Amino acid sequence: MFKPRVMRNVKVIDLTHRMFGKLVNLPIYITATALGKLGHPEGEVVLTKAAGTKNIIQMMPTLASCSVAEMMDNALPGQEQWFQLYVNQDRVAVKKLLEKVESRGVRVLFVTVDAPSLGKREKDMRVKFVDDAPDESKHTELNRTQGAARAISTFIDPSLCWDDVSWFKANTKMKIVLKGIQCGEDAVLAAQHGCDGIVVSNHGGRQLDTCRSGIEVLPECIAALKEAGLRDKLQVFMDGGVRRGGDIFKALALGADAVGLGRPFLYGMASYGQQGVEKVIDILAEELTMTMRMCGVTNIKDIGPEYVLANNLNSHIGVAPKGYGFSNAYERMETIDSKL
């Protein structure tokens, strides 16, 4: 719940923010999502162009429909792009990929750590994968009977562990961020192993049913880092379920440095292409501006826990607005009426 303050001069609102030194127009980024061409013929390039126009950051996915070169060739001069990595069992292949993206100027690497195996995605499993595989998956035998996600993810290494952080640090100069932290203990371990950041995330709720959402885990991670004296060692991001500017404000208030969004940008891209993605960004900016004014805050860095009430966050008490996009994400299976 919000805890607004009133009678403050909120005429001028500043939404600009720095992430790993890069000044952007909003404290958000387009998080990595696979197979963009399922939604638009140009795929992830649409997200690249919209992010450049609006000066926000795009995280390029390992399992994109477009190549890294295609995405980066469509970026504006000085546009910041991050890279998300699914770790291949073949470390030689991983090293080559790191060298490729780093040579193109990528400064930040997001290593996905919450997918040692694929969750049971039943709707995806019922829709068979017929498109071309991303480059990362083309050297493996694809099982196209179990849906897109399972078909293209067989190369991912289930042995990835904390010892591998030192391998990454030895093989790239990019900043290392672990994507998929789900408890305070692992947030502390990430800092102790020398990572530059974490993403508090449950992989969009598609990996393990009944895991807590990012916004529920976030306060635990911040508290654990502060208790260990390590909060200033990490950039802390959060993703999952962010649909409104008010959601962004709440995440920032609970300690996130910035917020990642995936599905909203895919919806905008699939419906209206680049203009649709830009419109989503505009809506989020308008809503965040409104929320900041209503709460009496004029600058992103001043958003803190005093502006929200989160003591019942883990109890799931309260009535949330109806989310029609979410409720339609998983369709009921058709059943055959009994003739008995």
Side-chain angles (χ1 to χ4, degrees):
M1 305 291 286
F2 289 119
K3 184 183 176 182
R5 299 299 304 274
V6 298
M7 294 296 288
R8 293 180 173 182
N9 184 347
V10 289
K11 182 177 181 179
V12 179
I13 300 293
D14 185 4
L15 300 180
T16 59
H17 188 56
R18 287 192 181 274
M19 290 184 270
F20 289 119
K22 175 65 176 179
L23 183 66
V24 292
N25 288 356
L26 279 168
I28 65 172
Y29 58 91
I30 301 175
T31 197
T33 52
L35 301 174
K37 286 186 179 179
L38 291 177
H40 191 279
E42 291 185 65
E44 291 79 9
V45 165
V46 172
L47 303 176
T48 301
K49 292 176 179 177
T53 301
K54 295 297 182 179
N55 188 31
I56 67 170
I57 294 173
Q58 175 199 24
M59 185 192 300
M60 299 179 291
T62 296
L63 297 176
S65 298
C66 304
S67 67
V68 172
E70 287 175 315
M71 288 182 277
M72 300 200 76
D73 287 347
N74 280 277
L76 297 176
Q79 181 177 340
E80 181 89 356
Q81 290 169 287
W82 295 335
F83 186 74
Q84 173 268 333
L85 177 71
Y86 280 120
V87 181
N88 198 313
Q89 299 175 62
D90 181 354
R91 288 297 193 271
V92 175
V94 175
K95 187 174 181 180
K96 289 181 179 178
L97 181 57
L98 295 182
E99 291 172 348
K100 180 170 72 173
V101 298
E102 188 172 355
S103 68
R104 290 297 306 264
V106 175
R107 299 189 306 118
V108 187
L109 177 71
F110 286 71
V111 182
T112 295
V113 296
D114 57 4
S117 65
L118 196 70
K120 190 175 182 182
R121 307 179 186 179
E122 291 172 338
K123 184 178 181 183
D124 181 57
M125 291 163 66
R126 295 200 298 271
V127 180
K128 309 313 173 191
F129 182 57
V130 297
D131 291 352
D132 291 336
D135 291 341
E136 188 71 11
S137 300
K138 285 182 178 176
H139 65 286
T140 60
E141 187 68 27
L142 297 187
N143 177 2
R144 294 180 177 271
T145 67
Q146 295 292 304
R150 199 168 298 278
I152 64 178
S153 63
T154 54
F155 69 91
I156 297 174
D157 189 358
S159 73
L160 181 68
C161 65
W162 290 107
D163 293 339
D164 291 306
V165 174
S166 59
W167 184 89
F168 282 105
K169 292 178 72 67
N171 283 278
T172 183
K173 294 180 180 178
M174 290 184 285
K175 295 185 181 298
I176 306 299
V177 180
L178 301 187
K179 183 178 182 295
I181 297 296
Q182 298 176 75
C183 67
E185 294 90 339
D186 282 346
V188 171
L189 282 172
Q192 291 174 339
H193 280 79
C195 295
D196 300 287
I198 59 173
V199 182
V200 180
S201 170
N202 69 359
H203 210 101
R206 298 174 301 130
Q207 276 295 88
L208 183 61
D209 284 347
T210 71
C211 278
R212 293 177 295 168
S213 63
I215 197 71
E216 291 174 290
V217 180
L218 180 60
E220 176 184 316
C221 291
I222 297 298
L225 289 168
K226 287 182 176 179
E227 184 178 353
L230 296 169
R231 177 61 186 93
D232 62 345
K233 301 295 184 182
L234 289 173
Q235 292 251 336
V236 177
F237 306 105
M238 190 215 81
D239 70 31
V242 179
R243 297 293 180 269
R244 295 285 189 176
D247 299 336
I248 299 169
F249 185 100
K250 290 175 182 178
L252 299 176
L254 293 178
D257 291 302
V259 176
L261 296 90
R263 288 185 181 98
F265 296 126
L266 295 182
Y267 298 153
M269 177 183 76
S271 299
Y272 301 105
Q274 182 179 343
Q275 287 184 322
V277 180
E278 292 174 358
K279 181 64 175 178
V280 172
I281 298 170
D282 288 342
I283 291 171
L284 292 169
E286 292 165 4
E287 292 179 348
L288 180 56
T289 298
M290 180 202 72
T291 305
M292 290 173 66
R293 278 207 172 99
M294 296 291 191
C295 288
V297 188
T298 59
N299 197 292
I300 295 297
K301 63 180 176 59
D302 294 329
I303 300 174
E306 65 271 24
Y307 295 102
V308 292
L309 298 171
N311 54 320
N312 68 343
L313 188 60
N314 287 299
S315 63
H316 295 266
I317 294 173
V319 180
K322 179 69 173 176
Y324 291 97
F326 172 80
S327 62
N328 293 330
Y330 296 97
E331 300 168 359
R332 291 182 58 188
M333 295 184 68
E334 295 289 336
T335 58
I336 300 174
D337 293 335
S338 173
K339 298 183 184 298
L340 298 178

